[in-house]
Amino acid sequence: MAMLHIVNKSPFEKVSFRSCLNHVSKGDSVLMIEDAAVGAIEGTSFSEKLKTAMGDVSVYVLGGDLAARGLSEDRMIDGIKAVDYAGFVDLTVENETTQSWL
Amino acid sequence: MKFTIMINEGPYQHQSADSALQFCRSLLAQGHEIFRVFFYHDGVNNGSSLSVPPADDRLIQKEWSELSKEHDLDLVICIAAAQRRGLMDKDEAKRQGFESNNMIEGFRISGLGQLIEGGIESDRTVVFGD
Amino acid sequence: MATKKFMFVNRKAPYGTVYALESLEVVLISAAFEQDVSLAFIDDGVYQITKGQDTTGIGQKNFSNTYKALGDYEIKKLYVSKESLEERGLTQDDLMDLVWEDEDDDWAEKPSIIMVDRSEMAAVMAEQEVTLSF
């Protein structure tokens, strides 16, 4: 069963995001919301870790959370898709289950 | 599709209540059904009737209350968590011997079994918290 | 009522925040609904089940004994992250002996703690129908 992993912590402050990436299965999706949105940016100390995971999982970010933190979508790692809340809902429907990495 | 939402943080301190509100609005806009919204931990504070934020800020508790009225939502506050944090509806306040109560319209107070039932009855369960 | 596979994910230490205690309260309630319950202990969540917890110095109730009662409620799948223990300089010997009694085997005591590595934990997570995190 495909799972949507919802992450809401900055990878620069907490281990939640790394822990999530360590427990995903092939075909799962990861959605960054709230403070986790900052993890979508290319060229950070975290971006290589996320890019490695992107071989197995699809990665999304809530666009509103990125914009709220002063970051534009053109700075995102290639392959990450920005979604709005309607897209967030679609992801919860497309995946059979969800897990929040609080 | 049928959803249960759990919210673990109070309003203002953490973004999770804002995120959950927006998510619930999107669910309803897309024609999905919200079986239940369950408020746990400090999330019970989403049901307080005594919040007075500055005039230019959002009033999250009222937004829940209005959303509940508009869509006939089942907003459930966990009784054990609410008792710890001093949140009570009229009946619970009376039972505990308090003269006042502080739960906003549209919420009800009940047990943790409501969360488990939500998980069983819904197609999806989504958790918001810190 | 239908039976679903529920997983409760614990990633926070006890006492510093109320999440561990209130998570345990949900787990106990879930037993009354006769669901297929698993618990995961990852990251600082492993501190919830260390042995020898003594809270006399902090003015809080020690609730660690409640984990020992889980077996009586038919909650007998406690998955513990091997890597999380190692990162914290802990081994399984630092954890409480949590057991359940097997009715079909003359009430023999069997361990509830299942040590798993990341890929095994991921596989267990992938099987769940409802995942609640605190």
Side-chain angles (χ1 to χ4, degrees):
Chain A
M1 291 197 296
M3 181 180 270
L4 174 66
H5 299 264
I6 303 165
V7 196
N8 71 342
K9 298 292 184 310
S10 161
F12 310 113
E13 192 204 355
K14 302 260 172 84
V15 301
S16 313
F17 207 150
R18 283 163 208 276
S19 204
C20 166
L21 295 181
N22 286 335
H23 292 93
V24 291
S25 298
K26 205 172 170 62
D28 284 354
S29 293
V30 174
L31 171 65
M32 298 172 263
I33 69 169
E34 301 170 3
D35 284 353
V38 303
I41 300 304
E42 177 62 284
T44 71
S45 60
F46 178 69
S47 46
E48 286 309 313
K49 168 94 182 159
L50 186 54
K51 282 195 260 186
T52 304
M54 285 168 71
D56 286 331
V57 300
S58 307
V59 179
Y60 304 84
V61 63
L62 210 44
D65 276 321
L66 198 62
R69 287 155 182 84
L71 300 168
S72 67
E73 290 177 17
D74 55 22
R75 293 178 65 178
M76 293 193 307
I77 294 165
D78 271 350
I80 294 182
K81 295 181 206 77
V83 295
D84 57 10
Y85 271 92
F88 183 176
V89 168
D90 291 339
L91 286 169
T92 61
V93 171
E94 288 159 15
N95 290 276
E96 281 91 345
T97 57
T98 74
Q99 176 169 353
S100 297
W101 290 82
L102 304 178
Chain B
M1 207 170 251
K2 208 189 282 186
F3 282 74
T4 284
I5 310 298
M6 173 161 82
I7 298 166
N8 290 342
E9 294 300 326
Y12 306 109
Q13 177 77 23
H14 192 278
Q15 198 187 341
S16 57
D18 294 285
S19 301
L21 251 173
Q22 305 240 36
F23 183 76
C24 286
R25 287 199 183 107
S26 270
L27 277 180
L28 296 165
Q30 292 188 40
H32 294 294
E33 179 191 342
I34 299 179
F35 177 78
R36 182 165 294 148
V37 185
F38 191 85
F39 296 85
Y40 197 40
H41 301 296
D42 279 359
V44 299
N45 293 317
N46 281 279
S48 169
S49 60
L50 299 179
S51 280
V52 189
D56 60 347
D57 199 355
R58 71 240 187 266
L59 180 40
I60 296 176
Q61 292 92 332
K62 198 165 157 230
E63 291 189 30
W64 281 119
S65 187
E66 284 168 357
L67 196 68
S68 163
K69 202 181 283 177
E70 197 178 331
H71 296 277
D72 196 21
L73 294 186
D74 190 22
L75 307 183
V76 179
I77 300 259
C78 170
I79 186 162
Q83 284 174 333
R84 279 200 180 98
R85 292 161 179 86
L87 197 94
M88 296 189 193
D89 63 5
K90 212 190 242 173
D91 291 345
E92 177 62 13
K94 204 171 171 187
R95 211 165 64 83
Q96 300 286 351
F98 291 102
E99 279 176 19
S100 54
N101 58 78
N102 58 345
M103 189 171 294
I104 198 166
E105 196 185 341
F107 287 78
R108 67 185 177 95
I109 205 159
S110 191
L112 277 169
Q114 299 274 306
L115 170 64
I116 304 300
E117 187 197 29
I120 296 167
E121 296 294 334
S122 302
D123 302 303
R124 299 287 186 272
T125 301
V126 184
V127 181
F128 291 88
D130 185 16
Chain C
M1 205 171 262
T3 301
K4 278 194 177 177
K5 290 170 88 76
F6 273 75
M7 174 167 261
F8 298 95
V9 179
N10 301 289
R11 294 186 46 253
K12 291 165 185 162
Y15 310 116
T17 56
V18 78
Y19 299 107
L21 172 62
E22 289 190 331
S23 162
L24 197 50
E25 289 176 355
V26 180
V27 170
L28 290 169
I29 295 290
S30 73
F33 285 77
E34 297 183 345
Q35 299 300 300
D36 182 356
V37 174
S38 299
L39 274 62
F41 295 91
I42 309 171
D43 298 331
D44 283 353
V46 299
Y47 294 118
Q48 293 181 22
I49 51 172
T50 53
K51 62 180 160 199
Q53 293 178 27
D54 177 1
T55 61
T56 50
I58 64 167
Q60 285 190 31
K61 195 170 85 178
N62 179 349
F63 59 91
S64 60
N65 275 334
T66 311
Y67 294 96
K68 292 184 186 159
L70 291 178
D72 299 337
Y73 292 92
E74 289 291 304
I75 294 166
K76 53 197 183 191
K77 290 184 283 189
L78 277 59
Y79 296 95
V80 177
S81 162
K82 276 183 195 168
E83 289 88 349
S84 297
L85 281 183
E86 280 164 18
E87 285 166 3
R88 287 159 182 78
L90 301 174
T91 67
Q92 195 176 347
D93 287 341
D94 294 304
L95 304 180
M96 293 184 277
D97 281 324
L98 301 176
V99 296
W100 61 285
E101 292 177 349
D102 190 350
E103 189 179 346
D104 300 326
D105 189 7
D106 198 23
W107 303 99
E109 281 194 351
K110 299 191 172 173
S112 303
I113 289 181
I114 307 160
M115 300 293 299
V116 289
D117 64 22
R118 280 169 184 160
S119 61
E120 290 167 326
M121 185 69 90
V124 175
M125 287 176 167
E127 291 171 2
Q128 305 303 318
E129 294 174 278
V130 181
T131 303
L132 298 178
S133 350
F134 300 92

